[in-house]
Amino acid sequence: MLSERSERIFKRAKELIPGGVNSPVRAFGAVGGIPRMIAKAKGSRIFDVDGNEYIDFIGSWGPMILGHNYQPILDAVINTAQNGLSFGAATAIEVEMAELICSLVPSIDMVRMVNSGTEAVMSAVRAARGFTGRDKIIKFDGCYHGHSDAMLVKAGSGVMTSGVPDSAGVPKGCAEDTLTATYNNLESVQRLFEQHHNQIAAVIIEPVAANMGVVTPVDGFLQGLRRLCDEHGSLLIFDEVITGFRLGLTGAQGLYRVIPDLTTFGKIVGAGMPVGAYGGRREIMQMIAPVGKVYQAGTLSGNPVAMAAGICQLKILKETPEIYQHMNQLGDRLRKGLQTVVKGGQVTGIGSLSCLFFTDTLVTDGTTAKQSDTAAFAKYFNYMLENGCYFAPSQFEAIFLSNAHTQADVDCVLNLAEQYFKS
Ligand SMILES: *Cc1c(COP(=O)(O)O)cnc(C)c1O
């Protein structure tokens, strides 16, 4: 497979952009080789500047749930853009988005739009601190909640891959208020609640962890978190930036029937435009400026073009329940098929989120996820890439399916995997 043009552009990129990328997960640091420079995408396919075609299993890390370059969304963007790209003033389309999110997700009475998942989490945490008058937050080893200071502690995926436990530049004081518990381990949470009595503002979690590979919650774990938060007067924040509108219209909270106080969204909610959102109980959201004392703002928040894209995508998901059926079936087929051919590994996941770990140890949390043989992953990744399947260049990311993927796409992966593990 040719990669001359990608190589040439990447060489220039490294001179001008740190690591040649605008987000570390795009670099091929963990798998070797150079990132392919992407020129365009359509449906389940992505094309690089050397003219190579791949079946894409990243989907821009989740937003492209209807497949790339989906015509109705493209039309919505173009039509809306004709009225102006941004006004920095209140618009009707923001109200339409808020109505849609509140009607789809029962735990959300009010919502605020922002520009990224990072911003959504940062703001939700601030709201939780403002509401409870407490400072400390509990997060889980291996869960990623964006790159705000307080959340860069045991932060999964990109951080996990580069082997940096925390980030430089995060003040000690910021990290001190972030306590870390073990995913799927209620006792580790209970202990922190006891040690820091009446100081925990919130527990934040990816209800299905998708930034340490994919790790699903064991029975009763999320329910147990709800109970602990209630007992200690703390808020429960579900970071559904990946799972929101992916594991069904009501996300992981609907699937597992656990109601958080606050929820964060990103990725799918913007359909590929830079959008995030946070929302929840009315009395908490009333804490946000200009009604309340928790300040949070954004010049481009609720951007009309971005709202048009997101609304279009959410409406299609709402009106077409077969989409989730289709993706879940493909996910099941992928997981079952991979599990039968893989040697020395295990397949995890739920719905349209999957992961292949290269370890026999049962993966239930950050520590066991890290036992995966990342060199074996890198070899497998490069084989798949060379054969036209584009997976995330890190062990600790999900395999994303979209509605544009077909059974033939999945079977292509299964056939390649069978050959790979045979030899
Ligand atoms: C991607 C992600 C974020 C951060 O979103 P950005 O839009 O990249 O800032 C936060 N939480 C989770 C669970 C994510 O997967």
Side-chain angles (χ1 to χ4, degrees):
M1 213 173 247
L2 276 180
S3 58
E4 244 169 70
R5 286 189 177 165
S6 279
E7 277 170 42
R8 205 165 53 232
I9 296 169
F10 187 56
K11 201 167 160 227
R12 195 151 48 103
K14 279 193 294 187
E15 301 288 316
L16 299 164
I17 309 169
V21 291
N22 278 316
S23 190
V25 293
R26 295 175 201 167
F28 275 32
V31 292
I34 56 124
R36 303 304 189 269
M37 295 287 164
I38 303 305
K40 61 177 182 180
K42 181 78 190 166
S44 66
R45 305 298 156 125
I46 196 160
F47 303 84
D48 69 19
V49 290
D50 290 285
N52 300 307
E53 174 178 340
Y54 307 88
I55 309 175
D56 176 29
F57 293 97
I58 307 179
S60 189
W61 308 90
M64 318 314 289
I65 195 169
L66 300 177
H68 289 285
N69 222 348
Y70 191 69
Q71 196 61 47
I73 295 178
L74 207 60
D75 292 342
V77 165
I78 292 166
N79 288 337
T80 310
Q82 275 163 353
N83 294 325
L85 295 183
S86 177
F87 314 118
T91 58
I93 199 166
E94 294 165 277
V95 186
E96 195 184 341
M97 176 60 109
E99 251 171 359
L100 193 52
I101 293 175
C102 293
S103 74
L104 289 175
V105 188
S107 71
I108 300 190
D109 303 323
M110 298 184 97
V111 65
R112 176 59 74 75
M113 303 309 297
V114 292
N115 305 288
S116 68
T118 294
E119 226 188 299
V121 169
M122 187 183 78
S123 311
V125 166
R126 188 180 300 146
R129 285 173 163 159
F131 183 75
T132 58
R134 302 173 180 181
D135 287 342
K136 295 200 186 295
I137 299 290
I138 296 177
K139 78 176 283 292
F140 293 85
D141 178 14
C143 282
Y144 180 66
H145 302 293
H147 68 92
S148 68
D149 281 350
M151 291 297 122
L152 278 181
V153 180
K154 309 240 176 195
S157 56
V159 192
M160 219 145 142
T161 297
S162 60
V164 184
D166 299 312
S167 169
V170 175
K172 235 190 250 134
C174 273
E176 262 168 22
D177 283 328
T178 305
L179 310 169
T180 314
T182 305
Y183 196 86
N184 273 330
N185 183 334
L186 272 183
E187 275 163 34
S188 71
V189 184
Q190 177 136 25
R191 262 199 309 277
L192 290 175
F193 269 118
E194 283 160 11
Q195 280 164 10
H196 304 272
H197 193 61
N198 285 344
Q199 296 174 64
I200 312 286
V203 173
I204 183 165
I205 190 165
E206 291 179 73
V208 168
N211 286 286
M212 46 169 135
V214 180
V215 180
T216 50
V218 296
D219 279 352
F221 176 57
L222 297 175
Q223 287 81 355
L225 292 180
R226 179 68 272 178
R227 184 174 40 77
L228 282 173
C229 284
D230 290 342
E231 281 171 17
H232 295 272
S234 305
L235 302 185
L236 180 60
I237 307 175
F238 274 5
D239 181 351
E240 298 229 37
V241 169
I242 283 185
T243 52
F245 312 112
R246 176 167 288 280
L247 300 181
L249 285 173
T250 49
Q253 55 192 268
L255 195 61
Y256 292 97
R257 298 173 189 281
V258 175
I259 305 301
D261 300 292
L262 291 171
T263 304
T264 56
F265 296 106
K267 299 186 172 119
I268 288 175
V269 78
M273 301 294 279
V275 179
Y278 68 103
R281 274 162 51 198
R282 185 173 304 278
E283 54 178 333
I284 306 170
M285 293 307 288
Q286 294 277 26
M287 297 292 296
I288 311 296
V291 270
K293 287 192 169 134
V294 174
Y295 195 72
Q296 185 270 310
T299 302
L300 296 176
S301 292
N303 173 273
V305 183
M307 293 304 99
I311 288 169
C312 180
Q313 174 144 286
L314 292 183
K315 276 190 175 160
I316 290 167
L317 290 173
K318 178 182 171 182
E319 286 156 12
T320 330
E322 308 87 71
I323 290 174
Y324 291 111
Q325 246 171 45
H326 172 69
M327 293 192 305
N328 291 349
Q329 274 167 9
L330 287 187
D332 286 340
R333 187 181 184 86
L334 177 68
R335 285 185 290 275
K336 279 202 194 97
L338 272 181
Q339 192 63 67
T340 54
V341 300
V342 65
K343 289 202 189 89
Q346 69 190 279
V347 187
T348 63
I350 183 167
S352 55
L353 293 170
S354 306
C355 182
L356 172 55
F357 282 111
F358 288 80
T359 173
D360 288 328
T361 311
L362 186 67
V363 176
T364 57
D365 57 21
T367 305
T368 44
K370 271 177 253 177
Q371 288 188 13
S372 188
D373 181 348
T374 50
F377 172 83
K379 205 170 147 217
Y380 172 79
F381 166 87
N382 279 301
Y383 173 84
M384 284 294 177
L385 189 70
E386 278 301 312
N387 286 285
C389 291
Y390 185 72
F391 289 101
S394 159
Q395 168 68 80
F396 304 109
E397 307 288 355
I399 302 169
F400 292 94
L401 292 172
S402 75
N403 191 47
H405 285 93
T406 61
Q407 195 167 303
D409 291 336
V410 168
D411 289 351
C412 177
V413 173
L414 295 179
N415 289 331
L416 285 169
E418 189 176 0
Q419 282 174 35
Y420 178 81
F421 288 107
K422 228 190 259 167
S423 59

